Amino acid sequence: MTADSPATDRRQRRAYRVRRGAPYAFLLPAGVLFVLFFALPIGYAGYLSLRRVEVQGLGLGSGARQEVWAGLANYTDALTDAELLDGALRVLGYGLLVVPTMLGLALLFALLLDAERVGGRRFSRLVIFLPYAVPGVIAALLWGFLYLPSVSPLHYGLDRLGLPQPDLLDGGALFVALANIAVWGGTGFNMLVIYTSLRAIPAEIYEAARLDGCTQAQIAWRIKIPMVTPSLVLTFFFSVIATLQVFSEPTTLRPLTNGIPTDWSPLMKVYQDAFVTGDIHAAAATAVVIAVVILVLSFGFLRVATARTRQEGLR
């Protein structure tokens, strides 16, 4: 018995080390992918943003173009760039159209699907969610041809009826056209998140409300909406981040109209600097600025939402 105890102790220690290291072994592939495809690109972008290309003479010959240290000069140029500021203001106006409309429709559809005596819930959920499965570029092309007067069936119908044909690809109507694409594609996802939260509410709460004489509208306003507030906050975060990163819709519609400049949104400005102008260092600095703004806004919204949730819990 005593002779076997050292071997038994070694096996137990080995089994303990295996159990202790098993979670890290499972996390290792995800950690490697995170480092390779997330951390390293961010670090490299930060490195590029602190450097610039110095051209000597006409820039011809070997050694005429050298990469030198620039410090914060690229960030100073990005923060004082009028084109970037104009793009940010355009995205702000775009977001004021997209976020309230999309979340309002998502909440409305979720409440309608959760109401009593509503038939065809599965089919309705599929129809509302299906646009989210369409890639953004394809959705932009689809709506772009519907907006284009020469091929649009909508313009043809208005022409046959003798009604005015609005140009949705120019002026202020362009914001509505772009917002419509985002709302059409994103409402289904947000609706599904809110609807899932509604289905998790215990039925006993509704029964008690009906016994107290509450109507369906009162139940929706006083019970359902307050109880799905965390889901509304979550979808709000997702919508704001997606709005700040708008790129594919205006880029796809740009060949169809002269109303969309190459720097319509901040990410389009990054693409223009990096792949058209060839100034990868300025593009990296602008990308870092955009990432910091998104991080600060997300953190601020999260703090506000957390504080509000705690206050409601104390009540």
Side-chain angles (χ1 to χ4, degrees):
M1 185 70 179
T2 56
D4 295 335
S5 58
T8 303
D9 292 341
R10 285 195 298 271
R11 286 195 299 270
Q12 291 177 348
R13 287 195 298 269
R14 190 181 303 112
Y16 174 75
R17 287 195 297 268
V18 170
R19 289 195 301 269
R20 187 176 181 181
Y24 300 101
F26 285 115
L27 290 174
L28 182 61
V32 171
L33 293 175
F34 175 82
V35 171
L36 290 178
F37 297 103
F38 192 81
L40 285 180
I42 290 177
Y44 186 57
Y47 167 78
L48 289 177
S49 67
L50 299 174
R51 302 180 69 82
R52 62 181 175 86
V53 174
E54 189 176 75
V55 180
Q56 298 178 358
L58 297 177
L60 304 176
S62 60
R65 301 171 63 89
Q66 296 181 357
E67 188 177 291
V68 297
W69 179 259
L72 299 178
N74 291 325
Y75 291 98
T76 303
D77 294 340
L79 294 174
T80 57
D81 191 345
E83 294 180 350
L84 182 62
L85 178 60
D86 291 340
L89 292 176
R90 282 190 288 265
V91 168
L92 177 61
Y94 167 82
L96 291 177
L97 288 174
V98 170
V99 176
T101 305
M102 182 164 56
L103 294 185
L105 288 175
L107 178 60
L108 176 62
F109 290 149
L111 291 173
L112 290 176
L113 291 175
D114 192 59
E116 292 183 351
R117 295 187 297 273
V118 173
R121 282 194 176 94
R122 293 183 179 179
F123 178 75
S124 300
R125 288 200 305 266
L126 178 61
V127 170
I128 298 172
F129 180 77
L130 191 59
Y132 179 74
V134 179
V137 175
I138 296 177
L141 284 174
L142 170 66
W143 283 103
F145 284 109
L146 290 177
Y147 296 150
L148 200 61
S150 58
V151 297
S152 173
L154 300 178
H155 283 77
Y156 175 77
L158 293 174
D159 180 60
R160 298 287 292 180
L161 295 174
L163 299 176
Q165 305 173 39
D167 186 1
L168 297 176
L169 294 176
D170 195 13
L174 177 62
F175 285 86
V176 178
L178 290 171
N180 174 65
I181 300 174
V183 171
W184 180 79
T187 299
F189 171 79
N190 295 315
M191 179 275 299
L192 197 62
V193 174
I194 299 171
Y195 178 73
T196 303
S197 297
L198 287 173
R199 301 302 293 175
I201 299 176
E204 293 80 4
I205 297 178
Y206 300 149
E207 292 291 339
R210 281 191 289 270
L211 290 176
D212 288 338
C214 291
T215 63
Q216 289 297 322
Q218 291 173 333
I219 291 175
W221 181 254
R222 298 180 181 180
I223 297 178
K224 292 184 177 181
I225 294 179
M227 295 194 73
V228 299
T229 299
S231 296
L232 291 174
V233 173
L234 179 65
T235 53
F236 177 77
F237 288 158
F238 289 159
S239 301
V240 169
I241 292 174
T243 299
L244 294 175
Q245 295 178 344
V246 60
F247 176 79
S248 60
E249 292 88 352
T251 301
T252 305
L253 292 182
R254 188 173 173 274
L256 304 178
T257 176
N258 294 325
I260 302 179
T262 57
D263 54 358
W264 191 87
S265 71
L267 283 187
M268 292 178 67
K269 179 70 167 57
V270 173
Y271 179 87
Q272 180 74 12
D273 290 341
F275 301 107
V276 178
T277 308
D279 192 351
I280 190 68
H281 306 285
T286 305
V288 171
V289 169
I290 295 172
V292 170
V293 169
I294 293 176
L295 179 63
V296 170
L297 289 177
S298 302
F299 183 75
F301 290 145
L302 185 61
R303 288 291 300 272
V304 172
T306 303
R308 182 177 177 181
T309 303
R310 289 178 179 176
Q311 291 177 357
E312 292 179 353
L314 292 175
R315 291 176 186 175

